Amino acid sequence: MKKSSGINGFGRFGLHLLKYWLDRNNEANFTIEYINDDSLSIYQAYEIIVKDEYVIFNKYKIKINGGELIFLEPDGGIHTIQYSNESKNEIPWLGKPDLFFECSGKNSAKSDCNEFLQGNTKTVIISATSWDPDITLVYGFNHEEYKSSHKVISYGSCTVNAYLPLANYLHSKYGVEDSDVNVIHNIQKYRLEENNTLIRKFCTLEKSATNMLSFVNDENFVVNYTVVPYTGVSMIDFRFRLNNKVTIKSLLSDLEHEFSEGSLKNIYSLSEVDIGPEVYNCTTYSTVFIKENVKIVNGNLYLPGYFDNENSVNRYFDLTQHTVSYTHL
């Protein structure tokens, strides 16, 4: 029997999560039955769903029925989602679903999420970095550490999911002496007018990585994070100084095997040539690396890649699948 869930916050992450789940609802072990957003009415949410330029729902016929969003699949399948436009304390479905997806970006502290744990709701999964959850679980890195006693879980962030599993693999395989990450990050379309220049910002990866990985610290790890006035797929370039010598041919062979058959299967991918970021819109991978651009120079491995930071719901979905499967054991 599938677990039920509700989403609080229908911003970019919530929109992507709904689409990702709809496209995989047959294989999913959870349902999405509720959505709440404290700013958007059901009519505004409907407009976003049917008109968004990047998250395309044209496979579905969509309509509003009172306080419900109805999604009709081509094969006749129907998904009915109760929609509400209330503050967090007035959400009408509090305590009803098994899982609470906190996607508003406003409740990243554990104390904020504890109040969602009532009635049937046993687990809250935060779609952002939290500094005090019961545990931060990054799929492909430490998701198997999940226990049913973990009630408030952070999935990390888009950059955390892009970096940690790969960095952990490279360290176990070759040893990592130091590392840095350069992120060219997009911006939401509605913020373009107020942010029309480059902005250097703090990235939660810088603190999360040093908290979660034993081989990086404040002395050997740097993140350069720049927000640009652009709404498409983002760029993320990794550098690792490796302890063990390896040829580019051998390294690419190792990565191809790990990405197709190993622990990083379905998490990363290698593309042969660089044809720009647009083709990776809504990619299922945390990062797609460009094979022709991968280089080893003086012991430094350079891995340029593209990642659809908004669609890091791919790993959020995987993490939810794992937690639900675990509770069924």
Side-chain angles (χ1 to χ4, degrees):
M1 187 174 180
K2 296 188 178 188
K3 296 288 187 180
S4 61
S5 71
I7 299 173
N8 182 47
F10 199 61
R12 301 303 300 171
F13 195 97
L15 179 69
H16 276 270
L17 177 58
L18 174 62
K19 174 61 162 51
Y20 201 87
W21 172 79
L22 279 171
D23 289 349
R24 294 159 182 81
N25 71 87
N26 289 329
E27 66 192 66
N29 54 21
F30 65 95
T31 60
I32 295 177
E33 299 181 14
Y34 309 95
I35 295 175
N36 179 75
D37 190 275
D38 62 4
S39 298
L40 299 172
S41 70
I42 191 171
Y43 300 101
Q44 291 171 314
Y46 171 84
E47 286 296 305
I48 291 171
I49 291 168
V50 298
K51 293 184 178 180
D52 195 83
E53 297 177 3
Y54 298 104
V55 190
I56 309 299
F57 287 79
N58 57 8
K59 172 182 174 182
Y60 308 95
K61 291 183 178 179
I62 308 164
K63 66 179 182 178
I64 296 174
N65 182 24
E68 298 174 334
L69 289 169
I70 312 294
F71 296 84
L72 178 65
E73 296 195 61
D75 63 1
I78 299 176
H79 305 282
T80 301
I81 299 176
Q82 179 182 321
Y83 189 93
S84 52
N85 175 211
E86 303 289 347
S87 64
K88 60 176 288 189
N89 297 323
E90 301 297 327
I91 297 173
W93 45 268
L94 279 177
K96 292 183 180 180
D98 302 297
L99 304 162
F100 190 102
F101 296 151
E102 170 44 45
C103 301
S104 72
K106 301 175 182 178
N107 303 295
S108 59
K110 181 179 177 180
S111 58
D112 294 329
C113 293
N114 280 335
E115 51 197 279
F116 302 140
L117 294 167
Q118 55 180 280
N120 296 325
T121 305
K122 307 302 181 186
T123 308
V124 178
I125 306 180
I126 307 171
S127 70
T129 301
S130 173
W131 301 121
D132 66 344
D134 292 332
I135 193 169
T136 295
L137 293 174
V138 177
Y139 191 84
F141 168 66
N142 70 335
H143 66 279
E144 293 185 355
E145 296 177 14
Y146 170 72
K147 298 178 182 178
S148 57
S149 58
H150 296 139
K151 302 301 183 184
V152 178
I153 300 167
S154 168
Y155 102 121
S157 70
C158 57
T159 52
V160 169
N161 277 271
Y163 179 80
L164 260 66
L166 178 67
N168 187 59
Y169 165 75
L170 290 173
H171 183 66
S172 66
K173 186 78 174 178
Y174 310 109
V176 171
E177 183 176 336
D178 54 52
S179 176
D180 56 52
V181 181
N182 290 283
V183 184
I184 306 299
H185 199 282
N186 74 353
I187 197 168
Q188 301 97 323
K189 188 173 182 179
Y190 73 89
R191 295 180 58 196
L192 280 177
E193 289 186 8
E194 62 186 74
N195 294 282
N196 58 4
T197 188
L198 304 180
I199 304 173
R200 294 196 180 278
K201 298 179 67 175
F202 168 76
C203 179
T204 57
L205 172 61
E206 192 154 8
K207 182 177 178 180
S208 295
T210 56
N211 285 346
M212 299 179 72
L213 295 171
S214 62
F215 54 90
V216 297
N217 54 60
D218 293 336
E219 301 301 319
N220 71 354
F221 181 65
V222 175
V223 179
N224 299 304
Y225 181 90
T226 305
V227 176
V228 299
Y230 159 76
T231 59
V233 173
S234 299
M235 299 173 64
I236 188 164
D237 297 345
F238 301 150
R239 181 199 62 83
F240 298 93
R241 187 187 303 277
L242 303 177
N243 291 325
N244 301 330
K245 290 184 178 180
V246 61
T247 65
I248 190 67
K249 181 179 180 181
S250 176
L251 181 132
L252 287 173
S253 177
D254 288 343
L255 290 181
E256 287 178 331
H257 176 269
E258 198 66 19
F259 293 174
S260 61
E261 301 178 38
S263 62
L264 302 181
K265 181 179 179 180
N266 299 326
I267 298 178
Y268 299 100
S269 180
L270 278 166
S271 286
E272 291 291 329
V273 296
D274 193 344
I275 56 175
E278 292 81 5
V279 294
Y280 305 113
N281 180 53
C282 291
T283 177
T284 59
Y285 300 107
S286 295
T287 312
V288 178
F289 298 106
I290 308 304
K291 193 173 179 179
E292 67 176 0
N293 294 339
V294 176
K295 292 180 173 61
I296 297 176
V297 180
N298 296 326
N300 287 285
L301 167 63
Y302 295 90
L303 284 163
Y306 295 110
F307 79 128
D308 186 352
N309 49 284
E310 290 185 355
N311 202 49
S312 61
V313 298
N314 45 29
R315 301 293 81 83
Y316 189 93
F317 177 92
D318 291 340
L319 179 60
T320 301
Q321 290 276 90
H322 176 74
T323 60
V324 172
S325 297
Y326 181 95
T327 57
H328 283 176
L329 294 177

